[in-house]
Amino acid sequence: MCGIVGYVGPQQAAPVLVEGLTRLEYRGYDSAGVAVLNPRSSANPSRVVRAQGRVRDLEAALPARLAGTTGIGHTRWATHGEPSERNAHPHTSADGRVHVVHNGIIDNFATLRSRLADDGVELTSDTDTEVVAHLVARELATGLSLEDAVRTAVGQIVGTYALAVLDTQTPERIVVARNGSPLLLGVGDGEMFVASDPAAIVRHTSQVVLLDDGDFATVTADGFHSFTDGEERTARAAVTIDLTVEELELDGHEHFMHKEIHEQPESVERMLTGRLDDRFGTAKLAGLNLEPRDLRRFERVKVLGCGSAYYVGQLGASMIEDLARIPADAEPASEFRYRNPIIEPSTLYVVVSQSGETADTLFAVREVQRKGGTVVGLVNAVGSSIAREVDGGVYLHAGPEVAVASTKALTHMSIGFALLALTLGRVHDLSFADGRRIIAGLRAIPGQIAEILAGEEALAAAAKELSTAPSLFFVGRVRGYPVAREGAQKFKEITYRHAEAYPTSELKHGPLALISPELPSVAIIPDDDLVERNITAAQEIRARGGAVVAITHPGVELGDAATSRIEVPRNEVELDPILLTIPTQLLGYHAAVALGEDVDRPRNLAKSVTVE
Ligand code: AGP
């Protein structure tokens, strides 16, 4: 989704901004732009360059000399108004004095636009953001400082925003504001940065200041000062981020998605370090901030997440029911908040998110908290909004995930759920021996993922065949159903082929009518107590001419129920879905490669969905 970068310091701003925007490309966008201030030029105190398309298109549009040491840049993911140069940010006030970049959505933009139009302001874009530039300019014209002008302008806005604002008359500063969209400051040596995502500035500094909702800040080369609407100073201190430039490089892989799939054995090993407690057959999750006595009082678990995180949430809920024997279910966070949910004090709410910035999930956290519930998070991005707002949680430690289609973060989420389920289980009726059994299973996972990845060639061949089908099914039962849902999601996100998941048991209740030689199925057939039924269903697909790619365990006799077979090593039955998911990542990836699609940046999608 949209990205912001800003710079003020001794360097020329334009190259810093362009490099930052390149690092934000992974988030998904359709246009980009920069504004650079040059106080030395009285004729042109600022230059704005914008382009539809990629950051490289913006780079090509930049003049050879774009002098100036203060600037802001933006990648836009269209919400209001089509992707185009005129709708790209920065937006500029009618008098040319103010430049603004914005992430988020201004809900009352229509009212503000018509008020401005009534006052004779000529609006030059279809965006919600443009109103901010005009509002700030209007306040500046009354003699207010840039800080006060921004504060007064945002007082008229209803909605979410991360804003960075330039005034050509005070070119040594950027004023920023945050409400509901991530924003941070990077602290350099005699220079400062602004960013919506640390990736944009990681090459320059690892010292960042995470702003909170309601924060404003004035940023100059010497530092910053942050304040609130009530004008009090806020004491925001810099923290060190654990992110390196190397983690954001392809490191010999053709795509980030491929790199991230292959990182899993190592990243999972790292995630488990120090979290398995052999002495008590449980997990060590100090960040939950819940003692065994507190955990014991929960009679139910509700998992909330969006998209793939929701599917992993379903998997997690079944792990919790299996191991802790307390009712658990998952619900899309995007739906939860709008149905006026009943929040029970005896329910543990668990939100799950890679980015920690998904607006729907963040609002679900607030809904639970507003009604007095306890909510913990399984989050990957350290210091993200969700991580900071939940009552406790488990960091996933998957490292940065650049590809829009999530893979390793999802694996880490499912392992996070296994750790949580184990912890809950051990304060209920899960025996010490069973706890040790799950621990042994978890320890085996990194090596078993490596085994699956070693079979990539065969998976690539199966994916190539699947890629030619206009439509396909992913089917699985009980624990295998979320695996099928996630498999279908991954496939459709990056191949643009229609892929639909069904519980295998539901096929004969309708979807079987669609089976034909043109519609292959990927069937999840673990060696569990449903194996015979799953094989029968696969045979029913075969009998109607449909091809079946079975993801199964060694030793399962499929006979002619499958046209091709992909094996994953057996683990404990509760943990098997974690491994069964891995081949579906490679199926989606290789099908997209075979189709020549832009694997890491699928059309219309964004890495972190920061608008509702
Ligand atoms: C995954 O491949 C998707 N891009 C998407 O469904 C994602 O999982 C969802 O938007 C939730 O994101 P989050 O984990 O950052 O909250």
Side-chain angles (χ1 to χ4, degrees):
M1 213 144 257
C2 304
I4 288 176
V5 60
Y7 177 77
V8 49
Q11 300 187 54
Q12 288 300 311
V16 178
L17 299 177
V18 169
E19 196 260 339
L21 293 180
T22 308
R23 302 247 174 234
L24 294 177
E25 283 193 297
Y26 79 97
R27 301 181 69 90
Y29 71 106
D30 46 57
S31 52
V34 294
V36 174
L37 299 185
N38 181 6
R40 294 218 182 104
S41 163
S42 51
N44 279 318
S46 67
R47 289 288 295 272
V48 176
V49 184
R50 306 180 296 183
Q52 188 185 341
R54 298 289 186 205
V55 174
R56 61 172 178 269
D57 300 312
L58 170 70
E59 231 178 329
L62 291 177
R65 276 184 55 78
L66 183 55
T69 57
T70 304
I72 51 177
H74 192 260
T75 47
R76 173 175 186 256
W77 187 84
T79 57
H80 298 72
E82 57 172 14
S84 64
E85 199 243 314
R86 69 191 281 274
N87 286 332
H89 302 206
H91 287 285
T92 301
S93 59
D95 60 4
R97 184 172 165 183
V98 174
H99 304 292
V100 172
V101 291
H102 164 230
N103 289 357
I105 287 185
I106 296 170
D107 295 329
N108 61 337
F109 83 103
T111 318
L112 294 171
R113 274 178 79 94
S114 63
R115 251 188 245 156
L116 286 163
D118 290 348
D119 293 347
V121 176
E122 196 192 330
L123 291 142
T124 57
S125 77
D126 311 313
T127 65
D128 52 343
T129 302
E130 187 187 346
V131 298
V132 183
H134 299 301
L135 292 176
V136 174
R138 177 178 288 192
E139 300 303 331
L140 284 173
T142 67
L144 289 185
S145 66
L146 179 58
E147 287 78 359
D148 285 338
V150 171
R151 200 161 37 200
T152 314
V154 302
Q156 299 165 57
I157 290 173
V158 179
T160 54
Y161 49 81
L163 286 166
V165 185
L166 295 180
D167 172 11
T168 52
Q169 293 189 14
T170 48
E172 76 299 340
R173 71 183 54 191
I174 305 171
V175 171
V176 301
R178 174 193 158 136
N179 179 43
S181 289
L183 195 61
L184 56 91
L185 311 179
V187 182
D189 187 8
E191 57 185 357
M192 286 288 295
F193 304 83
V194 173
S196 54
D197 177 329
I201 57 171
V202 68
R203 202 165 78 79
H204 305 279
T205 181
S206 58
Q207 295 297 302
V208 303
V209 178
L210 303 166
L211 296 178
D212 276 342
D213 283 353
D215 276 351
F216 296 80
T218 302
V219 186
T220 60
D222 304 332
F224 70 98
H225 96 264
S226 56
F227 52 97
T228 65
D229 192 23
E231 284 186 52
E232 347 40 272
R233 256 173 185 266
T234 52
R236 302 276 171 245
V239 292
T240 307
I241 42 159
D242 185 18
L243 179 67
T244 61
V245 182
E246 294 70 44
E247 286 176 297
L248 301 172
E249 307 286 354
L250 280 165
D251 195 22
H253 293 265
E254 202 180 331
H255 300 104
F256 281 105
M257 185 176 175
H258 192 258
K259 178 187 178 209
E260 286 153 11
I261 291 172
H262 280 267
E263 277 171 349
Q264 294 177 108
E266 203 188 316
S267 66
V268 170
E269 186 94 54
R270 186 179 63 227
M271 176 191 186
L272 290 173
T273 305
R275 282 178 157 165
L276 300 175
D277 182 346
D278 292 291
R279 208 154 68 97
F280 294 105
T282 186
K284 293 188 218 167
L285 300 177
L288 281 180
N289 299 330
L290 292 166
E291 295 297 322
R293 196 177 295 116
D294 305 316
L295 285 170
R296 177 83 207 181
R297 84 181 156 82
F298 294 115
E299 291 165 8
R300 180 182 290 277
V301 175
K302 165 73 85 180
V303 181
L304 301 163
C306 293
S308 294
Y310 157 57
Y311 301 143
V312 180
Q314 282 196 309
L315 229 163
S318 88
M319 285 181 192
I320 290 166
E321 289 204 341
D322 276 344
L323 296 178
R325 300 306 297 155
I326 51 175
D329 72 336
E331 182 176 338
S334 48
E335 291 289 288
F336 175 76
R337 172 184 176 223
Y338 289 100
R339 61 172 184 83
N340 192 17
I342 297 164
I343 303 298
E344 299 161 312
S346 57
T347 295
L348 176 64
Y349 295 85
V350 182
V351 292
V352 58
S353 174
Q354 187 288 126
S355 63
E357 300 294 352
T358 301
D360 288 316
T361 312
L362 181 59
F363 285 121
V365 170
R366 292 178 181 163
E367 184 69 15
V368 173
Q369 289 177 331
R370 188 171 299 115
K371 292 178 171 169
T374 304
V375 55
V376 296
L378 303 188
V379 177
N380 191 38
V382 176
S384 55
S385 302
I386 294 173
R388 287 190 288 154
E389 291 198 23
V390 287
D391 301 314
V394 180
Y395 272 126
L396 300 174
H397 296 309
E401 194 178 64
V402 175
V404 167
S406 186
T407 52
K408 66 171 176 170
L410 300 178
T411 303
H412 281 238
M413 283 175 193
S414 52
I415 291 171
F417 276 114
L419 294 172
L420 180 64
L422 179 58
T423 307
L424 284 167
R426 290 290 292 132
V427 299
H428 285 88
D429 295 327
L430 191 74
S431 68
F432 173 66
D434 271 332
R436 291 283 296 260
R437 175 176 68 80
I438 296 299
I439 287 179
L442 285 166
R443 284 217 170 91
I445 286 177
Q448 291 181 316
I449 295 178
E451 266 182 64
I452 298 169
L453 299 182
E456 183 169 5
E457 220 173 288
L459 274 155
K464 201 168 175 194
E465 283 199 16
L466 290 174
S467 73
T468 58
S471 185
L472 63 160
F473 282 173
F474 280 74
V475 296
R477 288 195 74 169
V478 188
R479 298 183 194 96
Y481 177 50
V483 176
R485 294 190 89 181
E486 172 46 24
Q489 164 100 330
K490 204 88 308 153
F491 205 89
K492 71 184 126 193
E493 273 186 306
I494 50 177
T495 65
Y496 314 143
R497 297 292 153 129
H498 172 242
E500 194 161 358
Y502 281 105
T504 317
S505 52
E506 279 290 303
L507 283 177
K508 56 186 175 301
H509 296 293
L512 210 51
L514 289 171
I515 297 294
S516 77
E518 280 73 53
L519 193 143
S521 299
V522 176
I524 313 300
I525 311 184
D527 190 9
D528 59 13
D529 46 4
L530 289 167
V531 65
E532 294 304 334
R533 288 177 198 274
N534 276 323
I535 293 172
T536 303
Q539 263 153 352
E540 286 166 6
I541 296 172
R542 295 289 300 118
R544 285 152 185 87
V548 172
V549 175
I551 300 179
T552 188
H553 284 139
V556 171
E557 293 288 342
L558 293 173
D560 56 4
T563 31
S564 58
R565 170 189 187 110
I566 294 158
E567 286 188 359
V568 304
R570 240 191 226 90
N571 195 297
E572 297 303 326
V573 72
E574 299 90 340
L575 304 179
D576 278 335
I578 301 171
L579 294 165
L580 290 160
T581 307
I582 306 294
T584 67
Q585 302 173 344
L586 284 168
L587 284 179
Y589 172 77
H590 282 289
V593 170
L595 292 166
E597 300 300 353
D598 187 351
V599 177
D600 286 335
R601 287 183 293 248
R603 70 185 182 206
N604 305 338
L605 298 181
K607 182 65 184 164
S608 128
V609 185
T610 50
V611 295
E612 277 184 276

